[in-house]
Amino acid sequence: MSTLFGITLPLPLPLPMFGLFVALAMLVAAHYLKRELCRLYETGRIGTARVPHKGKDGVVIYTEVPPQDVVPDLAVVVMFAGIAGARLFHILEHLDEFTADPWGMIFTTSGLSIFGGLILGTLAGLFCVRRWKLPLRPLLDAAAPAMMLGYAIGRIGCQVSGDGDWGIVSNMSLKPDWLPLWTWAQTYEHNIAGVVISAPGVYPTPLYETLMGIACFLLLWALRKHPFRMGWLFSVYMTLAGAERLLIEKIRINPVFNVFGIHATQAEIIAFLLILFGLFGIAILGRRLPTERLLSASASGS
């Protein structure tokens, strides 16, 4: 059975719920990315993509297409690279388990590092952007809201399947009386990780991340017509993504590493770097565009 928002769903496991929600996340994210690329293309803030292919004589030729036309191919590449990265970073985080059972770790239905998926997925996307001769910063800005929304939807898959991304044992003495029990503690019965969780349960951190992800998406979507230089919105995205994960790590169970005397989880280290790079980007890119560019951007539709 699966649990979502305190409701037990009559869905027998193993059902690839996480995979289904990852696919849904990619579809929704691709829709918003395509929508934003259309806007940027119509306002002249991003040009055409040059898609290479071989002619009859074997010579590589380029076909110019609107940037939104490459979104389906980009989504497929990012999805598969993201899944591979999520599995790789999870293995790196649990090397002892991998050494004991490498095939089990590779093909398990649980255990994915969302930051690993984010990093390798982004790198794969950047490779495609370079190959298609697209400008980097406008593309990253267009992708920022979509990436955040995709993250939020993907976490619903973690919640429904119970893949081990839950939190520490809930402190019931801190629970406000007005909050429903399922928002504070869940036992994730029949989870795909095969873990038995004693009552009252653990913090349903995937739900918290979904809510924070949606809030961050709404903020990024509202800021997408900002007057600053391209790349600023992606810097805001990095800051929000890092801050969200640092907060949730306080009630999550993950292996702790000793890095130059600092004890932190893999996610905390990556989140800190995201915040650092994000704030740096906000500082150097937070300058207004020339007036004529602002007029063009403000005249565009959503």
Side-chain angles (χ1 to χ4, degrees):
M1 309 294 281
S2 305
T3 302
L4 178 63
F5 300 116
I7 302 173
T8 300
L9 306 176
L11 299 173
L13 296 176
L15 186 69
M17 296 303 297
F18 181 78
L20 291 175
F21 275 97
V22 167
L24 176 62
M26 291 302 303
L27 288 174
V28 175
H31 166 76
Y32 279 94
L33 173 59
K34 188 173 183 177
R35 182 174 170 180
E36 184 61 4
L37 284 175
C38 285
R39 185 185 71 85
L40 294 177
Y41 180 62
E42 291 171 358
T43 58
R45 300 185 75 179
I46 189 171
T48 56
R50 301 180 64 202
V51 181
H53 58 88
K54 288 186 178 181
K56 294 182 179 179
D57 55 358
V59 177
V60 177
I61 58 177
Y62 289 87
T63 301
E64 292 195 8
V65 300
Q68 58 267 26
D69 287 0
V70 303
V71 169
D73 291 340
L74 179 64
V76 171
V77 171
V78 169
M79 181 177 68
F80 283 105
I83 293 173
R87 175 66 70 216
L88 174 61
F89 273 64
H90 178 73
I91 290 174
L92 293 175
E93 199 173 25
H94 301 83
L95 285 176
D96 52 342
E97 297 179 29
F98 178 72
T99 303
D101 183 16
W103 291 112
M105 282 285 289
I106 293 174
F107 295 107
T108 181
T109 55
S110 64
L112 293 172
S113 167
I114 199 71
F115 271 162
L118 173 66
I119 292 172
L120 261 67
T122 300
L123 290 176
L126 293 179
F127 172 81
C128 292
V129 168
R130 181 179 177 84
R131 180 175 174 81
W132 294 328
K133 311 297 182 181
L134 282 168
L136 177 60
R137 284 188 290 165
L139 198 289
L140 289 175
D141 273 0
M147 291 172 66
M148 186 61 76
L149 183 57
Y151 181 89
I153 295 174
R155 280 306 189 193
I156 299 177
C158 296
Q159 171 65 21
V160 174
S161 64
D163 68 347
D165 286 336
W166 49 70
I168 60 177
V169 175
S170 301
N171 187 339
M172 300 305 296
S173 65
L174 298 177
K175 176 186 170 298
D177 294 336
W178 53 270
L179 272 181
L181 177 61
W182 60 268
T183 65
W184 196 263
Q186 293 192 21
T187 56
Y188 291 92
E189 296 181 8
H190 308 291
N191 60 79
I192 62 174
V195 177
V196 177
I197 301 175
S198 301
V202 295
Y203 291 110
T205 50
L207 288 184
Y208 304 157
E209 290 204 80
T210 292
L211 295 175
M212 287 191 287
I214 291 174
C216 291
F217 160 74
L218 293 174
L219 177 60
L220 291 169
W221 192 251
L223 293 174
R224 73 191 190 282
K225 297 180 182 179
H226 63 87
F228 306 117
R229 297 185 180 275
M230 302 306 294
W232 180 86
L233 190 65
F234 190 77
S235 299
V236 175
Y237 160 78
M238 288 194 293
T239 305
L240 292 174
E244 178 272 329
R245 191 53 189 266
L246 271 184
L247 286 173
I248 210 68
E249 281 296 294
K250 300 304 179 183
I251 53 172
R252 282 277 305 273
I253 298 178
N254 276 320
V256 177
F257 299 94
N258 186 344
V259 181
F260 302 112
I262 299 175
H263 297 275
T265 66
Q266 181 191 89
E268 286 175 326
I269 295 170
I270 297 174
F272 174 78
L273 292 175
L274 282 175
I275 294 174
L276 188 65
F277 288 125
L279 291 176
F280 178 74
I282 290 173
I284 65 172
L285 297 171
R287 292 175 293 171
R288 289 181 173 270
L289 291 166
T291 304
E292 62 272 14
R293 297 285 294 280
L294 284 176
L295 292 175
S296 174
S298 62
S300 64
S302 60

